[in-house]
Amino acid sequence: MQTTTPPEQIVVRTMTFPARSHVHDRLENLEPDSIAAIYDAYFPAIYRYIHYRLGDEQLAEDIASDTFVRLLEAVKSGRGPHTNLKAWLTATASHLIADHLRLIYRRQTQELSDDLHDHASSVVEEIDRRQRNASIQKALAQLPPAQQHVLALRFGSGYSLEETAEAMNKNVNAVKALQFRALAALQRNMGEIFYD
Amino acid sequence: MTKKLFDALDACLRSIELGANIDDALKHYPELSHELRPLLITSVQARSLAQQDIPDAVIRRGRARVLRHAAQLRESGSSRYQPVFWFQRLALSMALAFVMILSVTGLVSASSAAVPGDHLYRIKRTWENVRLTFTFNEELRAQLEDQLEQERIEEVSLLLAKSRQEAISFSGPITEQNGNLWQVAGIPVQINASSQMPDVPVHIGDLVKVTGSTHEDGYVEALQIEIVQAATPPPSSAPIENTNTEEWDLNNDHDNLEKQIQPTPTPPVQENNNEEGIGNHTDGHEDDNHPQNDNNDAQNENDSEPSNDNHNDNTNDDSDENESDDD
């Protein structure tokens, strides 16, 4: 037996977005009102997605607004989204996160000893909740990008299974399998981190 | 089983999203509880990372930045597409046309030294055709045609000098016929069994078109010989009309031609020791002083004595009559 969710409850959790063609037409004209409407509709989910992936409010704010700037530039140069604006924004945010992580990785390899020292001192001083979140964040960061992506969409942005499938350009069953494997891998990672 | 597990996990996640606890969510899947419970616990922990409330200041700052960028894009876009005045367009068009003319002229100039097989050779020939097409004065046109014919000969000479094998075609007078090796406009031309020959005999002095390929050994291998203009027979060649009893016919019959190239058996009443096949047919048409003939004297005897059967492979326009006479 399977639990079914009433349709109206799913709608409550799903943002109501403007129709694509209408959005696209308005975007091409760079109309302030239209851009503001699109921003208001999409920004929270994009921000939450980035925050979930990186665990940093300032970074989430910067990268989220960067994502919309990229959208404007893409539309202006004729390379904007043509089918699914939400999926385009999510993919762009994911790319920006990847760029940021590459920079962080380079910096960490150069300043590894300092980071270890800071990390050790900060762990002692942080409260339990922050310590737990940091551990989860660390376990999450060890997952493959696709698994991080699906968990960030499902739990960070609050996307439904169908919205996640649309954003990832996959079918629903593939997303079900992916989220299962992602949770299993996260559980293993968390076990190892907490054990250590 | 696996799909059922995936479906059950998703259903439990939805229940938790709606406010159920883990035990309630697993109530419908007791047989999968031991597998799903750790995952659901992990999902609750993973969900705790999500930021529920976004500060208004964050949203306002982001919106302001995006709208500011949109304004900059609009401004830059409008200046980028400023209308161009008509004289600016005209100047641009003329500059483009000038560049194109320079490019074409340079290309044609570069192609002038091209020979068959070169990349620019087609351009060279195309340009020649253009010149011919737009030369309406007949005298100038004839001069140009002569010039182009000479150009073809020079191209072949160049290919032979470089020992390159390329398909060629050129026209010129036959200056020498020594066996199956001819000289056409000073170019050595090899005739072989597969060469396609005209239906009528070919004489020294005839203007012919040679189609074939250059050979690395320094001669042109003829695929086809066409008579462009037959030479007017010199008065001294009149007697040859009836000299040959066997026609030397350069026709398309390859078997016959091979036979002609091969040393022919000495006929019963043969006074001529010449074993040459192809070259001999001209001997009867030439005067005694022609340098290529080793057996001029004997052939001239034939010329002067039409009643003698000459079984060399000599050609003669009136060979049929000769044969009938012989008979």
Side-chain angles (χ1 to χ4, degrees), chain B residues 217-287:
Chain B
D217 290 338
Y219 60 86
V220 169
E221 198 167 3
L223 290 176
Q224 186 180 25
I225 300 289
E226 298 171 86
I227 296 178
V228 177
Q229 185 177 3
T232 305
S236 59
S237 66
I240 67 170
E241 292 177 355
N242 301 317
T243 56
N244 301 322
T245 55
E246 183 175 314
E247 178 186 15
W248 189 80
D249 187 11
L250 278 173
N251 54 23
N252 293 330
D253 185 349
H254 294 167
D255 294 337
N256 190 26
L257 184 59
E258 286 176 356
K259 185 184 73 178
Q260 291 161 0
I261 293 174
Q262 295 298 324
T264 49
T266 305
V269 200
Q270 176 66 7
E271 295 180 354
N272 192 346
N273 294 327
N274 188 2
E275 293 183 350
E276 291 293 333
I278 293 177
N280 286 343
H281 74 286
T282 60
D283 296 346
H285 297 269
E286 298 300 324
D287 57 21

Side-chain angles (χ1 to χ4, degrees), chain A residues 148-166:
Chain A
Q148 290 187 49
H149 196 40
V150 73
L151 293 182
L153 291 173
R154 291 286 281 122
F155 304 136
S157 299
Y159 283 11
S160 68
L161 193 72
E162 291 75 16
E163 286 174 326
T164 304
E166 192 179 6

Side-chain angles (χ1 to χ4, degrees), chain A residues 26-44:
Chain A
R26 292 192 295 175
L27 262 179
E28 282 185 343
N29 295 328
L30 296 173
E31 296 172 5
D33 293 344
S34 306
I35 293 170
I38 292 166
Y39 175 89
D40 290 342
Y42 291 87
F43 181 83

Side-chain angles (χ1 to χ4, degrees), chain A residues 43-109:
Chain A
F43 181 83
I46 297 300
Y47 174 90
R48 287 192 177 100
Y49 170 81
I50 299 165
H51 185 273
Y52 191 88
R53 291 284 304 273
L54 297 177
D56 186 297
E57 291 180 3
Q58 187 59 51
L59 278 175
E61 181 180 345
D62 291 344
I63 294 178
S65 58
D66 281 348
T67 303
F68 285 86
V69 166
R70 291 279 183 96
L71 171 68
L72 297 179
E73 290 174 345
V75 169
K76 184 67 181 172
S77 61
R79 296 178 288 105
H82 294 287
T83 54
N84 191 324
L85 181 55
K86 184 165 66 173
W88 191 95
L89 288 169
T90 307
T92 301
S94 178
H95 292 150
L96 291 173
I97 289 170
D99 292 343
H100 170 76
L101 292 176
R102 270 194 290 273
L103 287 174
I104 292 295
Y105 176 76
R106 290 197 195 110
R107 200 179 304 155
Q108 280 182 341
T109 54

Side-chain angles (χ1 to χ4, degrees), chain B residues 45-208:
Chain B
Q45 292 173 324
R47 201 185 298 274
S48 69
L49 287 180
Q51 185 173 5
Q52 299 302 323
D53 299 321
I54 304 173
D56 289 341
V58 169
I59 296 176
R60 281 200 305 273
R61 283 196 297 268
R63 186 193 292 116
R65 184 189 167 201
V66 171
L67 291 176
R68 192 165 54 246
H69 193 79
Q72 290 172 351
L73 284 178
R74 276 196 303 273
E75 193 172 344
S76 63
S78 59
S79 62
R80 188 186 309 162
Y81 298 108
Q82 286 290 334
V84 181
F85 293 110
W86 66 270
F87 55 84
Q88 287 175 317
R89 295 188 181 201
L90 180 64
L92 186 63
S93 303
M94 290 180 67
L96 283 174
F98 184 66
V99 168
M100 286 182 68
I101 289 170
L102 281 182
S103 303
V104 171
T105 306
L107 204 58
V108 169
S109 175
S111 70
S112 61
V115 293
D118 290 350
H119 292 301
L120 294 176
Y121 189 66
R122 284 192 175 195
I123 295 174
K124 178 182 182 179
R125 296 298 297 268
T126 304
W127 180 244
E128 288 177 358
N129 290 333
V130 169
R131 290 175 64 193
L132 278 173
T133 304
F134 290 98
T135 302
F136 302 107
N137 183 297
E138 288 187 5
E139 188 178 348
L140 291 177
R141 185 184 175 86
Q143 287 179 6
L144 181 58
E145 286 175 344
D146 291 344
Q147 180 187 338
L148 296 180
E149 288 298 340
Q150 192 60 35
E151 180 68 22
R152 299 288 87 76
I153 293 168
E154 289 176 7
E155 289 168 2
V156 175
S157 299
L158 198 59
L159 288 172
L160 294 177
K162 292 182 176 178
S163 300
R164 281 178 55 181
Q165 285 185 292
E166 301 290 350
I168 54 91
S169 177
F170 71 99
S171 300
I174 300 175
T175 56
E176 192 176 321
Q177 286 177 314
N178 187 8
N180 52 6
L181 185 62
W182 297 2
Q183 292 284 334
V184 179
I187 303 289
V189 178
Q190 177 84 28
I191 311 295
N192 55 37
S194 60
S195 301
Q196 190 175 349
M197 305 301 291
D199 294 333
V200 295
V202 184
H203 308 137
I204 286 182
D206 286 351
L207 185 65
V208 295

Side-chain angles (χ1 to χ4, degrees), chain A residues 101-157:
Chain A
L101 292 176
R102 270 194 290 273
L103 287 174
I104 292 295
Y105 176 76
R106 290 197 195 110
R107 200 179 304 155
Q108 280 182 341
T109 54
Q110 291 168 358
E111 304 168 358
L112 188 59
S113 58
D114 293 342
D115 280 359
L116 283 175
H117 176 75
D118 292 345
H119 181 68
S121 61
S122 65
V123 167
V124 175
E125 297 168 359
E126 283 180 347
I127 60 174
D128 288 346
R129 189 186 64 83
R130 289 182 64 87
Q131 187 179 31
R132 189 181 67 250
N133 281 356
S135 299
I136 297 171
Q137 197 77 49
K138 188 176 178 182
L140 186 68
Q142 293 174 355
L143 296 178
Q147 294 183 0
Q148 290 187 49
H149 196 40
V150 73
L151 293 182
L153 291 173
R154 291 286 281 122
F155 304 136
S157 299

